[in-house]
């Protein structure tokens, strides 16, 4: 399969994009991320309140330990939507074992065979009070929303020129997370790594030059 990708990517001068992506995957797998911060990688975590985030923090660290011990991707242990529902459920019910156990039987996004496998682990984890509750990430403010809209517009235009899908350059989620990481700075452009970042940066510079020319001409 790989050799079938090589020629088209080389023709489009994007072979280095794939190489960069593969290296990024290897780098991430080799890096040890703080277990207390893994909840931030769970899709939908920004919809949680503080207690839900506290439970999600516990569960994300647990999932990572499971994935490492079984040599599996985290999503093969429990998918993000399942982890999120489990955290929300745990935050809503009493911490005694019988109430928590009954609630686990009603979970919708995790197959019951998976619930049965991990039930005792979850009961031990979720019937204890969290050590602390993470701060809730504030949603994008108006300035950040405007920057996000401008970046999405730029990416759509750049993708059209490059003849690729916009999501291959950057998704809304990636851009939003990048903007959040820039807080509390006021950096004007979201910096994305690799070849995609180079393409977006070049397009952004061209756009700025064009706007300056239009302003001077008007």
């Amino acid at each position: 399969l790989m050799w079938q990708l090589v020629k088209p990517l080389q023709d489009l001068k994007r072979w280095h994009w794939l190489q960069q992506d593969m290296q990024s995957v290897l780098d991430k797998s080799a890096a040890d991320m703080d277990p207390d911060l893994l909840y931030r990688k769970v899709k939908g975590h920004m919809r949680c309140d503080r207690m839900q985030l506290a439970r999600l923090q516990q569960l994300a660290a647990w999932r990572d330990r499971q994935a490492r011990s079984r040599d599996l991707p985290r999503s093969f242990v429990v998918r993000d939507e399942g982890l999120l529902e489990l955290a929300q459920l745990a935050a809503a019910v009493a911490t005694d074992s019988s109430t928590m156990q009954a609630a686990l039987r009603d979970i919708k996004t995790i197959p019951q065979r998976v619930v049965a496998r991990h039930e005792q682990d979850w009961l031990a984890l979720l019937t204890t009070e969290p050590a602390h509750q993470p701060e809730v990430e504030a949603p994008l403010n108006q300035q950040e929303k405007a920057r996000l809209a401008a970046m999405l517009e730029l990416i759509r235009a750049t993708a059209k020129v490059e003849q690729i899908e916009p999501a291959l350059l950057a998704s809304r989620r990636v851009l939003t997370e990048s903007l959040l990481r820039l807080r509390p700075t006021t950096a004007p452009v979201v910096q994305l790594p690799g070849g995609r970042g180079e393409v977006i940066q070049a397009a952004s510079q061209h756009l700025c030059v064009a706007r300056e020319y239009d302003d001077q001409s008007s």
Side-chain angles (χ1 to χ4, degrees), residues 80-137:
D80 277 4
E81 58 265 31
L83 213 65
L84 189 65
E85 184 185 1
L86 187 55
Q88 293 168 338
L89 177 152
V93 304
T95 55
D96 63 279
S97 295
S98 58
T99 305
M100 190 71 70
Q101 191 169 32
L104 289 176
R105 306 294 165 82
D106 293 330
I107 200 160
K108 301 295 191 296
T109 56
I110 304 176
Q112 280 300 310
R113 58 181 175 76
V114 178
V115 173
R117 176 172 186 168
H118 300 301
E119 184 176 70
Q120 294 308 309
D121 281 352
W122 293 342
L123 288 175
L125 188 68
L126 300 174
T127 53
T128 58
E129 289 294 332
H132 67 282
Q133 297 179 15
E135 293 292 332
V136 176
E137 187 78 65

Side-chain angles (χ1 to χ4, degrees), residues 26-177:
L26 290 173
D27 291 343
K28 287 179 180 178
S29 65
D32 289 324
M33 185 174 181
D34 184 346
D36 287 341
L37 299 179
L38 288 171
Y39 74 93
R40 295 181 181 176
K41 288 187 168 292
V42 178
K43 187 176 182 180
H45 78 274
M46 289 189 65
R47 299 195 301 270
C48 294
D49 60 28
R50 289 193 68 182
M51 179 53 77
Q52 291 169 346
L53 280 180
R55 292 305 189 187
L56 189 62
Q57 186 179 53
Q58 291 177 301
L59 289 163
W62 167 86
R63 181 176 68 171
D64 186 62
R65 292 192 299 271
Q66 284 282 316
R68 289 176 182 273
S69 67
R70 295 164 59 189
D71 195 23
L72 292 172
R74 295 182 189 123
S75 61
F76 281 28
V77 179
V78 179
R79 295 175 65 86
D80 277 4
E81 58 265 31
L83 213 65
L84 189 65
E85 184 185 1
L86 187 55
Q88 293 168 338
L89 177 152
V93 304
T95 55
D96 63 279
S97 295
S98 58
T99 305
M100 190 71 70
Q101 191 169 32
L104 289 176
R105 306 294 165 82
D106 293 330
I107 200 160
K108 301 295 191 296
T109 56
I110 304 176
Q112 280 300 310
R113 58 181 175 76
V114 178
V115 173
R117 176 172 186 168
H118 300 301
E119 184 176 70
Q120 294 308 309
D121 281 352
W122 293 342
L123 288 175
L125 188 68
L126 300 174
T127 53
T128 58
E129 289 294 332
H132 67 282
Q133 297 179 15
E135 293 292 332
V136 176
E137 187 78 65
L140 297 181
N141 58 37
Q142 291 303 313
Q143 183 182 19
E144 290 168 333
K145 287 180 180 179
R147 290 173 61 197
L148 176 61
M151 285 300 298
L152 288 171
E153 180 183 357
L154 175 62
I155 283 170
R156 283 192 292 269
T158 306
K160 185 175 181 180
V161 172
E162 297 290 329
Q163 299 181 347
I164 58 176
E165 289 295 319
L168 291 177
L169 285 175
S171 66
R172 175 182 287 270
R173 179 187 176 189
V174 166
L175 292 174
T176 300
E177 290 175 349

